[in-house]
Amino acid sequence: MKKHLLPWLACLLVVALLLVGCAKDTDNDDEKTGTAGEPQYGGTLVAVKETFPAVVGFPPEMSATDKACVLPAVETLLVYSDQSGTLTGILAEDWEEDPENNQITFYLRKGIKFHDGTPFNAEAAKWNFDLGIKRETLTDYKNIEKIEVVDEYTLRIHTKQHNIRCLPTWGTSLVMISPSAFEEAAGGDIFEGDGDIEKGAEWARNNLVATGPYKLVEFKRDDILRFEPFEDYWREGPYLDEWIIRFIPDIMTAQAMMKSGDAQMIMELTDVDVIAEFNESSDYVVNEGPGQMWCLHPDSSNPNSPLADKRIREAIEYAIDKKAIADMVGRGLFEPLTQMAPKAWTAGYVEGLDLRPYNPEKAKQLMAEAGYNGEEIILFTREGDTPKDTLVAIQGYLQDVGFNVKLDISDRARYIEAIFREGWDGLAFCSSGLVGFETNFTDHYGHEPLTFKSGNTAKPAELLEVSKKIVSTYDLEERAALLKEAIKIMAEDCTYIPIYRIPLACAMTKNVHCDYMKVHGNFWPNPNEVWMEQ
Amino acid sequence: MNKLRTYIARRLIHAVIVLFIVSVLIFVIMRLLPGDPILLYLSQSANLENMNQEMIDALTKKYGLDKPLPVQYFQWLTNIFRGDWGRSIFYNEDIGQLMLERFPVTLHLSLTSVIISTILGILIGLLAAVKRGKLVDKIIMPLTYLGISAPVFWVCVMLMYVFGVELNLLPIAGYTSPFKDFWLSIKQTIMPITCMAIFGIAGCARQMRSSVLEVLPQDYIRTAWSKGLRERQIVIKHVLKNSLSPVITFLGVIFKNVIGGSVLVETIFAIPGVGRLLVSSIFAHDYVVVQSITFVMALMVLLVNIIVDLSYCWLDPRVRFE
């Protein structure tokens, strides 16, 4: 018997190798489908994500990532329905903005229910706004004078200083949860004082009762979110029997799950190698949406920094071959930027604006004029999603023309500290948060930015003036003209040095029919329309 | 017996000292990392745009980070003895609850892989020693070299590719409790447990082989042969038990490796165990979670080492604790 052990082992090895060798080649020449057909009911969709929520049902503590994780189950009053920033009503069927009288009126859709069966109406919407205000987390909440319930389905927000941010910010960012479910957990009315908001929050961090097409039935932290269809949903669908979102931190594991059939979708994909691989295979469909712009942010407000001199900033921009970097690092999927606006953002993009194309000789000349004598310039960024190849390439281009550049790759904590509070030395290479909507522009680069508050980058006075005008201009054409003016000012002053825009994608097996990512990363109008060919 | 008690007491005192040093070290190291955990938490929560100094100060006070470092440390340590592990900044959850969710998962994988490593390692090592110089030994020994030197992540990737993607026999990732769905749990844990056990099997087999080879020429084994006992009887009754001491020592190493390796294996196979909680807490600078997990892990390793040391007495009555 013992003598037979080795031949058996050898046979097992050969069989295993043969099985691997003969396994089906997944790259075949079948036509990609992924196109429309008659939606079918049924099926379980397993989607994987690299980031997972810490909080699932308590909007005051939910980040954009948290909201994106539970998007089959949550809805907002409005959503962006295209990349140019057009708003579409979801829980609100119509709305009116009256800047003269500092008012926004939402006309809510009738017949919408929360997952616990209670109705969604103006009282419920007001309760959600009040919760955000009470916890001081609702964006720009200090600008709200009063929230008024006009009638059962009409909600009016009175603002202190109306601006273009108000409607899209409050309309698209606040997910609506059931007041009854929350207050039951809190033990009573949280605003009258007999309910304990902390108790409610404790419960809501792990439980979600909202209005979306699917209801959350299981949440295991850092593991799985399981959704089932909501029978009383107000629109057609939902079609799937089950929608599972699994947290897979390793992209290689996520890819393997797609190949083995354990998953049918990878959400929020930014790794270009993986996107390119899925694009090349006929077994998958890739939806691309607006990703982040990556730019160099100089510490130009520091008088001791060489970057306070516009000629040095210009020299830096001349020295970098952005197209070569975008092609090399981005495998053709990155958009090299010549201005602080991607092409798809038609309202802000200035046709033909390319003030400083790659020209190392010009860079050297400007450096000489500015009297640059080898001061160290720190290229600061964070580890994680920053492509290291880009940093090395930028460092290489700058060193080629004579800059003394040192890389400083920080962990996330130090990076956040620098960007939001302490400031940084030299050039910060970071994503701008700008995805191409007007409010987005002023939120990040305007006169009163909500991010990049450290004030490290000096902004020209004309830019601040234009920014003020932008937030109070409601005529779309007039606003677009102002945005273009702002983009030109930034380019002329070389306030920021845009490098490229990355894609944000969603890869699916071809039997999944879904528009996710085509519009916007966090919310898109129709998760109820997702279906799978059986 | 008194000597044994004294020995245990001495080892426990040593363990307390080691735990104290570990806890101080991890406390200091976490505080040396640049970056404010409150700022980090706020930056990835809904509060990003409304973040102001008052909010940061309020949270800093809530989590006790405004107190002097020695006070923070001793408060944390004394609270542990009251059963209060503190609150996670990132998860906004009781740390005891978090660990209670995660430790059973990691222990399931770790203990299974330690048991498999030990049993297989002993059997393989014994076989290689008994068949020394023969073909079986010539096959086993290079494989044990491979098992010891193969990086865990590489083994994970290879297994995932062959058994998950190509053969489609096992699920790629995830974890299900055996009490919920036994067969799914078995299928999901085969690859992670194999990855965690490979080093142990190989190491244990090599240790066992050397040990058996030392025992085989002993007089009492020769006596057993001369008494006409059968090979199986000699190996099981006389060789096995007398060869186990060095292998038992190696058990401590295996356990430590398995616990350490769980961080990597849990990340690759997307298993919500304590290893992954540790990684995410380190990145989030969630000080108290990192301190608590490290404390419990250190405690486990120390206890296993004490048990291993005590087991010598059972294996070899000649061993005296002095």
Side-chain angles (χ1 to χ4, degrees):
Chain A
M1 183 62 199
K2 286 172 198 166
K3 285 177 186 170
H4 293 159
L5 186 64
L6 274 177
W8 275 111
L9 279 175
C11 287
L12 199 68
L13 186 67
V14 171
V15 169
L17 289 173
L18 277 174
L19 281 170
V20 174
C22 299
K24 180 173 70 81
D25 185 359
T26 48
D27 281 343
N28 57 42
D29 295 328
D30 289 347
E31 283 281 303
K32 281 192 181 192
T33 56
T35 50
E38 274 303 301
Q40 297 169 12
Y41 281 89
T44 297
L45 172 65
V46 180
V48 298
K49 262 183 121 271
E50 202 182 334
T51 48
F52 215 65
V55 176
V56 289
F58 188 49
E61 288 178 7
M62 287 168 79
S63 66
T65 302
D66 295 342
K67 291 174 194 168
C69 291
V70 291
L71 51 83
V74 293
E75 287 175 326
T76 51
L77 295 172
L78 313 173
V79 292
Y80 288 110
S81 57
D82 60 36
Q83 288 194 35
S84 65
T86 308
L87 292 168
T88 296
I90 298 293
L91 295 174
E93 63 183 348
D94 202 2
W95 61 94
E96 271 172 19
E97 193 172 16
D98 182 0
E100 300 286 310
N101 294 308
N102 289 352
Q103 284 179 6
I104 299 172
T105 307
F106 292 105
Y107 300 100
L108 307 181
R109 222 175 277 278
K110 291 171 187 152
I112 296 179
K113 284 182 182 168
F114 287 105
H115 299 151
D116 60 353
T118 55
F120 169 75
N121 52 27
E123 282 293 348
K126 179 179 184 302
W127 183 93
N128 274 280
F129 274 102
D130 287 343
L131 182 66
I133 294 168
K134 191 174 170 76
R135 299 291 281 201
E136 299 184 355
T137 55
L138 181 72
T139 305
D140 211 10
Y141 72 93
K142 285 181 181 161
N143 198 12
I144 294 179
E145 177 79 54
K146 179 173 81 165
I147 300 175
E148 179 191 357
V149 175
V150 180
D151 61 42
E152 194 179 355
Y153 293 103
T154 310
L155 182 80
R156 185 164 295 142
I157 299 176
H158 298 264
T159 59
K160 289 176 187 164
Q161 276 187 318
H162 206 84
N163 63 56
I164 59 159
R165 279 176 187 160
C166 298
L167 176 67
T169 303
W170 296 327
T172 64
S173 65
L174 184 65
V175 299
M176 296 287 166
I177 60 163
S178 164
S180 315
F182 187 92
E183 291 189 338
E184 195 184 323
D189 188 330
I190 54 167
F191 299 113
E192 294 300 318
D194 55 336
D196 181 354
I197 197 164
E198 286 306 326
K199 244 169 100 181
E202 193 78 34
W203 173 83
R205 285 182 191 115
N206 298 304
N207 295 278
L208 172 64
V209 182
T211 60
Y214 294 86
K215 52 190 181 187
L216 181 65
V217 292
E218 186 186 0
F219 167 52
K220 271 170 74 184
R221 208 189 311 276
D222 288 348
D223 187 18
I224 194 167
L225 285 157
R226 194 185 302 275
F227 301 91
E228 283 177 1
F230 175 39
E231 308 78 31
D232 287 333
Y233 186 59
W234 57 277
R235 283 191 283 185
E236 204 188 325
Y239 295 103
L240 302 170
D241 286 340
E242 199 176 30
W243 187 333
I244 293 169
I245 299 181
R246 301 205 42 202
F247 172 46
I248 306 293
D250 189 273
I251 186 65
M252 194 196 57
T253 309
Q255 268 183 292
M257 286 179 76
M258 290 283 276
K259 286 180 182 168
S260 70
D262 286 0
Q264 292 78 40
M265 180 190 277
I266 302 184
M267 303 166 85
E268 290 169 27
L269 196 52
T270 52
D271 187 314
V272 279
D273 292 325
V274 179
I275 297 174
E277 197 178 312
F278 281 123
N279 265 329
E280 282 160 16
S281 168
S282 58
D283 292 329
Y284 305 100
V285 177
V286 179
N287 285 349
E288 279 183 35
Q292 303 270 349
M293 285 168 46
W294 281 79
C295 315
L296 292 169
H297 298 65
D299 65 336
S300 47
S301 64
N302 174 7
N304 299 321
S305 168
L307 300 165
D309 189 325
K310 183 185 164 189
R311 290 167 297 184
I312 296 293
R313 301 199 296 273
E314 288 185 298
I316 287 171
E317 188 158 15
Y318 275 120
I320 301 169
D321 188 347
K322 299 170 189 173
K323 188 174 181 315
I325 294 177
D327 287 346
M328 184 268 293
V329 182
R331 295 187 58 167
L333 296 167
F334 285 4
E335 177 191 348
L337 296 172
T338 59
Q339 54 188 286
M340 290 294 284
K343 277 183 187 157
W345 182 33
T346 47
Y349 185 74
V350 183
E351 201 60 51
L353 182 68
D354 183 7
L355 297 183
R356 294 169 205 96
Y358 178 54
N359 186 344
E361 292 312 313
K362 181 79 180 166
K364 284 178 191 165
Q365 183 197 325
L366 283 163
M367 286 163 74
E369 282 173 21
Y372 176 77
N373 55 8
E375 296 107 311
E376 188 176 78
I377 294 177
I378 294 168
L379 183 51
F380 173 71
T381 193
R382 73 162 192 234
E383 61 182 11
D385 55 357
T386 313
K388 304 286 181 298
D389 293 343
T390 302
L391 290 171
V392 175
I394 291 174
Q395 186 189 30
Y397 279 119
L398 295 181
Q399 282 174 342
D400 280 353
V401 295
F403 281 112
N404 174 14
V405 181
K406 186 184 155 199
L407 289 185
D408 178 8
I409 301 175
S410 149
D411 64 294
R412 185 174 156 77
R414 185 159 67 90
Y415 172 87
I416 293 290
E417 186 108 25
I419 297 296
F420 290 98
R421 198 154 66 175
E422 302 292 331
W424 63 90
D425 288 328
L427 290 162
F429 181 58
C430 42
S431 59
S432 70
L434 195 63
V435 290
F437 304 135
E438 287 88 333
T439 50
N440 225 228
F441 174 81
T442 48
D443 284 353
H444 296 294
Y445 294 105
H447 59 293
E448 285 175 345
L450 297 176
T451 59
F452 293 105
K453 290 179 193 172
S454 68
N456 253 33
T457 301
K459 294 173 190 171
E462 315 140 80
L463 176 66
L464 301 179
E465 279 307 307
V466 176
S467 170
K468 281 179 194 162
K469 284 185 196 163
I470 290 170
V471 293
S472 55
T473 302
Y474 292 87
D475 179 84
L476 291 179
E477 276 185 29
E478 208 179 310
R479 193 156 76 200
L482 286 167
L483 283 163
K484 286 183 168 65
E485 196 182 329
I487 295 293
K488 275 188 209 164
I489 294 168
M490 287 163 102
E492 274 159 19
D493 180 65
C494 207
T495 317
Y496 304 98
I497 302 163
I499 304 293
Y500 53 57
R501 186 197 207 191
I502 61 167
L504 188 60
C506 163
M508 298 169 283
T509 50
K510 61 183 180 182
N511 64 330
V512 178
H513 297 260
C514 174
D515 281 343
Y516 178 56
M517 274 303 159
K518 282 185 180 168
V519 177
H520 191 254
N522 287 337
F523 289 98
W524 90 107
N526 48 2
N528 59 310
E529 290 176 5
V530 177
W531 62 278
M532 289 171 78
E533 283 172 48
Q534 303 302 309
Chain B
M1 201 59 191
N2 272 344
K3 280 181 180 170
L4 179 63
R5 269 195 216 124
T6 315
Y7 178 78
I8 293 173
R10 210 169 54 224
R11 286 302 307 267
L12 286 174
I13 292 167
H14 284 174
V16 169
I17 294 168
V18 171
L19 263 184
F20 177 73
I21 294 170
V22 167
S23 65
V24 171
L25 272 179
I26 195 71
F27 182 89
V28 172
I29 288 169
M30 285 307 291
R31 265 40 179 210
L32 284 177
L33 292 176
D36 181 350
I38 301 295
L39 199 61
L40 202 58
Y41 163 69
L42 286 172
S43 75
Q44 52 202 17
S45 74
N47 297 315
L48 173 65
E49 287 152 1
N50 294 309
M51 189 165 68
N52 54 43
Q53 197 52 47
E54 293 82 54
M55 199 175 263
I56 294 168
D57 292 344
L59 281 170
T60 306
K61 196 171 175 191
K62 180 183 166 186
Y63 289 104
L65 300 173
D66 57 334
K67 293 178 181 143
L69 287 183
V71 177
Q72 284 184 43
Y73 173 76
F74 283 106
Q75 254 180 9
W76 168 69
L77 204 61
T78 47
N79 284 344
I80 286 179
F81 292 104
R82 289 192 210 111
D84 176 10
W85 292 90
R87 200 164 180 86
S88 157
I89 300 170
F90 179 70
Y91 290 102
N92 210 338
E93 176 78 79
D94 179 58
I95 295 170
Q97 178 61 34
L98 279 176
M99 291 200 295
L100 206 64
E101 284 172 14
R102 309 299 183 97
F103 262 112
V105 178
T106 302
L107 284 178
H108 171 204
L109 299 178
S110 310
L111 292 180
T112 316
S113 56
V114 169
I115 291 168
I116 290 174
S117 302
T118 315
I119 295 172
L120 283 184
I122 288 173
L123 291 178
I124 293 169
L126 194 62
L127 182 70
V130 172
K131 303 284 177 191
R132 186 188 183 187
K134 295 191 177 159
L135 190 59
V136 179
D137 186 32
K138 283 178 182 165
I139 291 172
I140 288 174
M141 288 321 287
L143 286 178
T144 59
Y145 282 121
L146 197 67
I148 280 184
S149 54
V152 175
F153 71 89
W154 179 81
V155 179
C156 292
V157 173
M158 286 298 113
L159 289 180
M160 198 183 274
Y161 178 72
V162 175
F163 294 100
V165 177
E166 292 300 335
L167 300 178
N168 216 340
L169 291 175
L170 297 170
I172 300 278
Y175 175 82
T176 306
S177 164
F179 301 109
K180 193 177 171 190
D181 184 338
F182 183 74
W183 291 113
L184 179 62
S185 176
I186 293 282
K187 283 168 80 175
Q188 281 179 331
T189 51
I190 286 176
M191 287 199 281
I193 286 175
T194 309
C195 293
M196 288 163 101
I198 268 182
F199 170 83
I201 294 171
C204 197
R206 291 174 56 75
Q207 196 75 43
M208 186 67 189
R209 182 181 179 273
S210 312
S211 180
V212 171
L213 289 177
E214 273 178 31
V215 169
L216 281 176
Q218 298 288 328
D219 290 345
Y220 59 88
I221 301 293
R222 240 194 326 265
T223 309
W225 282 113
S226 60
K227 276 163 71 183
L229 292 178
R230 281 183 299 166
E231 186 184 14
R232 184 174 294 181
Q233 266 182 310
I234 294 169
V235 169
I236 293 174
K237 280 195 174 170
H238 300 280
V239 177
L240 184 62
K241 195 176 172 189
N242 287 302
S243 313
L244 280 180
S245 293
V247 178
I248 296 297
T249 311
F250 194 67
L251 261 181
V253 179
I254 295 177
F255 187 76
K256 187 195 73 188
N257 259 307
V258 160
I259 289 283
S262 69
V263 173
L264 198 66
V265 173
E266 285 174 9
T267 304
I268 293 178
F269 289 106
I271 294 166
V274 81
R276 227 173 66 194
L277 177 65
L278 182 64
V279 172
S280 53
S281 302
I282 290 170
F283 282 122
H285 286 214
D286 208 342
Y287 297 151
V288 190
V289 180
V290 178
Q291 286 163 214
S292 303
I293 293 175
T294 316
F295 187 86
V296 176
M297 281 183 166
L299 183 67
M300 278 165 34
V301 171
L302 285 168
L303 285 179
V304 166
N305 281 330
I306 291 175
I307 293 167
V308 163
D309 287 354
L310 292 177
S311 63
Y312 293 144
C313 185
W314 171 74
L315 284 168
D316 188 350
R318 290 169 302 176
V319 173
R320 292 285 173 268
F321 295 102
E322 288 181 8

